[in-house]
Amino acid sequence: DAGITQSPRHKVTETGTPVTLRCHQTENHRYMYWYRQDPGHGLRLIHYSYGVKDTDKGEVSDGYSVSRSKTEDFLLTLESATSSQTSVYFCAASLAGGRDTQYFGPGTRLTVL
Amino acid sequence: GESVGLHLPTLSVQEGDNSIINCAYSNSASDYFIWYKQESGKGPQFIIDIRSNMDKRQGQRVTVLLNKTVKHLSLQIAATQPGDSAVYFCAESSRSGGGADGLTFGKGTHLIIQP
């Protein structure tokens, strides 16, 4: 795997508050991804990064922003959390982009009340 | 009101039997495929991958078969063990899918091992 850790692992927050999730990898993978996983929807891509300071939107990017100031860290921010953002969030990393294996972190369970 | 739950296809097999999990894809340009295993409360774990220039690839107790004619992918698990209980899903990628975001994930099959 790519030595991926996520923090926090669980978070409960209230509607309207900002939330930041952190992903850290130790294998110097160039590409990093944030997904959300919901019943009936599988894994859906939120944002991805193809290098330091290089990011792009995925399928479900509304309400989310990301930042990558270092190769090893990829942050996902919910500027103003809503109940529809209650989900399990997974970070992934890949050496060579979309046509290469993506290795996943353990996930963060976020509940927005 | 209507309840919404996790309605994944389920495959129930006896411990020791072989399991076959299927995945259909629609993009004829897809040329790279991965199988993932996800245990409850954990992140997806890479099992095996295959590129479109192959029909079959074997790993430890697992085999992936690719039929490009009917756009079908299968994962065979030999001598299924209790630790194989998980949700399995396939992912695909194609050159036309672009760069970093090229993987498309299926919704998964829940494998249950009966003792």
Side-chain angles (χ1 to χ4, degrees):
Chain A
D1 65 33
I4 299 174
T5 57
Q6 294 183 232
S7 59
R9 294 294 315 280
H10 301 272
K11 186 170 182 67
V12 180
T13 191
E14 295 190 348
T15 297
T17 59
V19 177
T20 295
L21 308 183
R22 179 178 183 249
C23 177
H24 180 79
Q25 55 121 340
T26 60
E27 298 296 321
N28 206 35
H29 281 43
R30 178 182 173 188
Y31 298 86
M32 297 185 75
Y33 309 81
W34 276 108
Y35 293 89
R36 59 179 289 173
Q37 188 175 44
D38 305 288
H41 291 280
L43 283 161
R44 292 184 291 173
L45 182 66
I46 304 171
H47 281 278
Y48 64 95
S49 169
Y50 47 98
V52 173
K53 291 186 171 39
D54 293 323
T55 65
D56 206 347
K57 297 179 180 180
E59 177 188 358
V60 290
S61 59
D62 287 348
Y64 302 94
S65 62
V66 290
S67 66
R68 192 164 176 208
S69 59
K70 297 185 291 185
T71 298
E72 59 266 35
D73 292 325
F74 192 31
L75 304 180
L76 176 71
T77 297
L78 291 65
E79 301 290 348
S80 178
T82 67
S83 59
S84 65
Q85 293 176 311
T86 292
S87 186
V88 181
Y89 291 85
F90 289 101
C91 174
S94 169
L95 198 56
R99 296 185 67 252
D100 190 17
T101 303
Q102 292 183 18
Y103 296 96
F104 285 81
T108 294
R109 181 172 294 276
L110 176 67
T111 302
V112 183
L113 302 175
Chain B
E2 183 180 353
S3 64
V4 178
L6 180 60
H7 298 296
L8 288 178
T10 298
L11 175 66
S12 183
V13 300
Q14 292 290 125
E15 182 178 349
D17 287 352
N18 297 335
S19 303
I20 301 176
I21 301 169
N22 297 303
C23 179
Y25 63 95
S26 57
N27 186 355
S28 57
S30 292
D31 58 1
Y32 177 59
F33 305 87
I34 308 173
W35 277 102
Y36 286 94
K37 171 187 180 182
Q38 187 175 22
E39 297 174 277
S40 181
K42 297 184 178 180
Q45 177 187 359
F46 170 83
I47 302 173
I48 192 168
D49 61 359
I50 188 169
R51 298 196 183 272
S52 60
N53 60 350
M54 302 174 70
D55 297 324
K56 178 179 180 179
R57 191 170 187 210
Q58 289 184 289
Q60 186 177 9
R61 277 201 312 119
V62 295
T63 300
V64 55
L65 299 177
L66 176 62
N67 185 331
K68 295 180 286 294
T69 302
V70 296
K71 297 198 281 290
H72 183 268
L73 191 69
S74 68
L75 176 71
Q76 300 179 0
I77 304 173
T80 312
Q81 303 168 357
D84 294 328
S85 289
V87 173
Y88 291 81
F89 54 93
C90 62
E92 60 179 290
S93 179
S94 67
R95 292 186 188 279
S96 63
D101 67 333
L103 282 179
T104 301
F105 292 86
K107 292 184 173 54
T109 296
H110 190 187
L111 178 65
I112 297 172
I113 312 303
Q114 304 284 0

